[in-house]
Amino acid sequence: MLVGAVLLTGCARTLEEQAHDLLQRRVESVHEHYLDARARDPLSTGAAALESLDPYGDALASSADGNGIRLLDDVGASVSETEGWKPTTTTASLGTCVEVLITAGEGGDDRGTVRTEAVECPAGTDVVGDDNHPVSALTTDLDGFSADVPEPPYDPPVCISGELCTEGGG
């Protein structure tokens, strides 16, 4: 039975590894967010594109020039583990800054691209984890993503009660 316990604990991932995995998923989520936002508005450029992509001005930095948009976001992740009869909580946190580069397409089937990668954070950037505390470390050792902007997703019309609804709802 001791062999089984050793095998089980030997496969356990550290909190740091879990935080890294969570941060990687969050970077992918940032990429998917901007890919979806651009799919819904693939033709805008300049200030209109920035307004569409970052309507609340949450990005650390943003710029638009010609057919390109650049956004810089901060992303943090933290994981905790509580153990013992007198509970002790251990937390690992990790953060990064993510540069998102969006290029406009030429029209037709070319709707543009979105490229996302982890970059060094500007000096003085406080990246916050899930526990609302600054992360303990920053990294750029994360996978980047690049994809063509897809067709916009189908959003069924919303039916207001009392209207004739052919799509369901009501």
Side-chain angles (χ1 to χ4, degrees):
M1 192 61 161
L2 180 60
V3 172
V6 170
L7 289 176
L8 287 176
T9 58
C11 296
R13 295 183 8 229
T14 67
L15 285 179
E16 289 77 14
E17 291 170 331
Q18 293 175 45
H20 185 272
D21 291 347
L22 180 57
L23 185 62
Q24 181 66 64
R25 288 192 306 272
R26 296 237 168 108
V27 169
E28 184 176 12
S29 179
V30 167
H31 176 76
E32 293 296 326
H33 163 75
Y34 284 114
L35 199 57
D36 180 66
R38 190 62 178 169
R40 295 174 190 277
D41 184 19
L43 302 177
S44 65
T45 58
L50 281 176
E51 177 67 25
S52 171
L53 294 165
D54 187 25
Y56 304 109
D58 293 332
L60 295 174
S62 62
S63 62
D65 57 4
N67 288 336
I69 311 279
R70 177 186 172 269
L71 295 145
L72 184 66
D73 285 335
D74 60 322
V75 182
S78 57
V79 293
S80 297
E81 173 180 85
T82 303
E83 54 189 2
W85 64 273
K86 184 177 179 186
T88 303
T89 301
T90 307
T91 300
S93 59
L94 192 60
T96 193
C97 284
V98 178
E99 182 179 61
V100 181
L101 300 171
I102 300 163
T103 55
E106 300 292 324
D109 288 341
D110 182 7
R111 300 169 58 80
T113 60
V114 174
R115 185 171 59 91
T116 307
E117 67 179 315
V119 296
E120 295 288 330
C121 291
T125 302
D126 287 327
V127 179
V128 176
D130 299 300
D131 56 0
N132 290 323
H133 291 90
V135 296
S136 58
L138 296 173
T139 186
T140 58
D141 184 26
L142 297 159
D143 294 334
F145 301 92
S146 183
D148 293 334
V149 175
E151 290 288 326
Y154 173 71
D155 289 329
V158 176
C159 296
I160 299 172
S161 184
E163 289 184 4
L164 177 60
C165 296
T166 59
E167 300 288 328

